[in-house]
Amino acid sequence: MSGFATVRRLPWLAVAACVTACQTQAPEAARLRSAGQVLAAAPELAGARVAFLVVDTGTRRELAAAEAHRGLLPASNQKLITAAVALETLGGEATLPTELLATGPVRDGVLEGDLVLRGHGDPSFGVGASGDAVLAAFAAALRARGVREIAGRVRGDGSWLGAERLGRGWQWDHLGEDFAAPFGGLCCAGNVLEVRLRPTPAGPATQVVPVADALPILRVAMAAPGAQTELVATRPIWGGSLEVRGTLAADAPEQVLRVPVADPAAFAAQVLLAVLRREGIAVRGGVLSAGESWQVAVHESPPLGALVAAMLRDSDNLAAEQLWRVAARTLRGNGSSATAELHSRAVLARLGVAVDGLVLADGSGLSRRNLVQPAQLVQLLVAMQQSPQSPAFLAGLPIAGRTGTLRARFAQGPATGQVLAKTGTLARVQALSGYVLRPNGAAPWAFSVVVENHTCSDATALAALDAFVGELASAAGW
C-alpha cells in the first residue's frame, strides 16, 4: 500500500490508562490529546466506556490514549484478528478445495453409488452466477465420465471443520438473520436462502433462490394499493418449515427476504441436486452404497488473500467464521472454536501482540463473549504493516468515504481517502480500528477506538467516533 513506510521492529511500548502523549514532543500530540478528551467527555456518551489508542507506526510512540488496556467488545474489529491469523497461517495464495466424489462404479451410464460434495471451508462456494457455473461444471464433469443417472443419493459432507454451526455467545435473536448464517466445512450461496414475493391479482407469487425443499408456508395478507408492506421470514434454526408472515400491498415491488439455512451441508447437496437435474442428470435417491469414493471433480476457491480482502471490505461474518476455523483446522487438525482461539493466541503472540486478557469466542465479532483491548488491536495493526502478508491485509481495509463499509462515512473532510479502517457495530457498541495515512510518505498512524454501552442512538455514537477520527486525519496533515 503506497504511503506505508517499512519500519524496523522495536520493543513494544507500554501504554498508560489515561489520556496521554507518552513523553512525545510531536506537535500533533496536544491536538490529539484534546480530541481524545472531547470524545471521552462527550455528554452524549455519558455512562459509556470510551477507549482508544493512537500510535505513530514509524517511531512506535503513543500519541493519545484512554483506557487502552480495557477489554471491550470489538464487534467486527474482530475480523482484523481473523484476517491476520488466516494470512499468517496459510498465506495469501492458499486455496480451499471443494470436491465432488463418487462412492461407486459407473456402469452403462449409471453411477452405482452416491455422489458426495465435500467441502474444506470455502466461504465463496456456490455464491452468485459464478457459483452456479461451478456447479454446472461439476455436472459436466459427470457427463464427461459417461454418467447420465445416479442410482444413489446426493450428499453434502461438511465434516472437515467439525460439528459446530453457530458461534459461542451469539445472540438468540440474531440466529434468524442472514448475517448470522451457520458455518461449516461445506457452504453454498452464503448459507442463505432468498425468499422473493411479488403481488399478483391471485395473491403473492413466491420464489425461493437458489432452491428449497418446499415453498414457504405463507401467512401473508394482501393489502390495498399504497398500504404499508411488512413481511418477515422465519425458520427454526435446527430445521423445519420456512414461513413468511405479514402484509403485502397490491402495488408493492418485489420483496426479497434473506433467511439462513439450518444445515449448510444438506443445503449445498440440495442445490447441487437441483443443478444436476437441470443439466439432464437423473438422481434416483434412496440408495446408500458402500465402498471407497473417487474424485469426479474439484473446485478451488479464489486465493485466500482475495477471500480475506472481501471479508474485511464487506464485513462478511460467514467468511470470517470459516477462515478463522480453517486456519486452525489446517495447522492443528481441529476447526473447533476452542482450537481456533488457541491457535489465534499463538499466532498473535508470535506477531508481538500481548495476549493476556484476550478472549476470542468467534471469528466474526458477533459474539458478546469477546474481549479485545484497543492496545491489542493497535499492536496487531503495527505488526501486520510489517508482515510479508501486509499487501493482502491492507487490500481489504475499507477506505474512508470510498469503499466497503466506510463508503458512506467520511464523505467529506480530512479523513476522506486517508483513513483505512475496519468498522464494528453491535447493539450498544461502535468501533473503528485502522490506519491514518500521512502526507509525503510518512509512516502512518495506527489507531483503535471503541465506544461500548452507550445509551444514545447508534447514529449519535457513530458521529462522536467519526468526529474523533476526523481530528486524527486533520492532525496528520490532511
Side-chain angles (χ1 to χ4, degrees), residues 153-226:
R153 303 181 300 176
V154 176
R155 295 190 280 126
D157 181 359
S159 61
W160 189 77
L161 271 187
E164 285 182 305
R165 295 182 188 169
L166 302 174
R168 297 180 296 181
W170 284 11
Q171 293 180 213
W172 70 266
D173 53 345
H174 284 170
L175 300 183
E177 303 290 344
D178 61 343
F179 61 76
F183 46 80
L186 177 61
C187 298
C188 186
N191 296 344
V192 169
L193 286 171
E194 284 192 356
V195 182
R196 301 174 182 177
L197 286 86
R198 57 181 178 82
T200 74
T206 309
Q207 181 185 15
V208 179
V209 177
V211 68
D213 49 1
L215 289 177
I217 298 171
L218 294 184
R219 305 187 189 281
V220 177
M222 295 298 297

Side-chain angles (χ1 to χ4, degrees), residues 19-100:
V19 177
T20 176
C22 192
Q23 301 179 345
T24 180
Q25 299 303 313
E28 307 93 344
R31 184 171 179 179
L32 294 180
R33 199 159 56 242
S34 175
Q37 289 168 342
V38 169
L39 177 65
E44 62 268 32
L45 301 180
R49 296 188 178 101
V50 179
F52 57 84
L53 176 63
V54 185
V55 166
D56 185 322
T57 65
T59 64
R60 296 292 186 92
R61 285 188 174 182
E62 174 190 307
L63 301 176
E67 301 286 354
H69 285 292
R70 180 183 288 276
L72 299 172
L73 289 172
S76 282
N77 280 202
Q78 188 93 345
K79 294 182 176 73
L80 293 170
I81 295 174
T82 294
V85 169
L87 289 169
E88 292 291 323
T89 302
L90 303 172
E93 298 305 313
T95 58
L96 310 178
T98 302
E99 302 174 280
L100 185 65

Side-chain angles (χ1 to χ4, degrees), residues 98-112:
T98 302
E99 302 174 280
L100 185 65
L101 307 171
T103 64
V106 178
R107 295 190 179 94
D108 297 326
V110 178
L111 170 62
E112 295 182 351

Side-chain angles (χ1 to χ4, degrees), residues 168 324 328 332 336-347 360:
R168 297 180 296 181
W324 190 55
R332 298 176 182 266
S336 69
S337 297
T339 303
E341 180 178 27
L342 178 69
H343 177 63
S344 296
R345 290 173 66 89
V347 172
L360 305 175

Side-chain angles (χ1 to χ4, degrees), residues 199-382:
T200 74
T206 309
Q207 181 185 15
V208 179
V209 177
V211 68
D213 49 1
L215 289 177
I217 298 171
L218 294 184
R219 305 187 189 281
V220 177
M222 295 298 297
Q228 186 171 0
T229 292
E230 294 182 335
L231 297 170
V232 60
T234 60
R235 186 174 197 169
I237 61 173
W238 300 119
S241 298
L242 178 62
E243 184 174 305
V244 179
R245 302 187 306 275
T247 303
L248 179 64
D251 59 349
E254 182 179 67
Q255 305 293 300
V256 179
L257 308 174
R258 291 171 55 83
V259 186
V261 303
D263 184 337
F267 172 63
Q270 189 177 16
V271 175
L272 175 59
L273 174 62
V275 170
L276 292 175
R277 287 174 170 165
R278 185 192 72 196
E279 297 295 320
I281 297 176
V283 180
R284 296 179 193 170
V287 176
L288 182 62
S289 300
E292 296 184 359
S293 62
W294 50 276
Q295 189 180 89
V296 178
V298 63
H299 167 73
E300 297 288 348
S301 73
L304 188 78
L307 296 178
V308 166
M311 180 263 291
L312 291 173
R313 182 188 65 239
D314 301 329
S315 202
D316 188 320
N317 291 330
L318 177 64
E321 296 302 334
Q322 294 292 119
L323 298 180
W324 190 55
R325 291 168 170 79
V326 164
R329 173 64 176 83
T330 300
L331 199 68
R332 298 176 182 266
N334 190 310
S336 69
S337 297
T339 303
E341 180 178 27
L342 178 69
H343 177 63
S344 296
R345 290 173 66 89
V347 172
L348 293 174
R350 288 198 300 271
L351 288 171
V353 177
V355 296
D356 288 349
L358 185 69
V359 178
L360 305 175
D362 69 1
S364 64
L366 276 178
S367 176
R368 300 193 78 89
R369 295 186 188 180
N370 294 313
L371 285 177
V372 183
Q373 303 162 10
Q376 291 166 329
L377 289 170
V378 169
Q379 290 168 6
L380 175 65
L381 290 165
V382 172

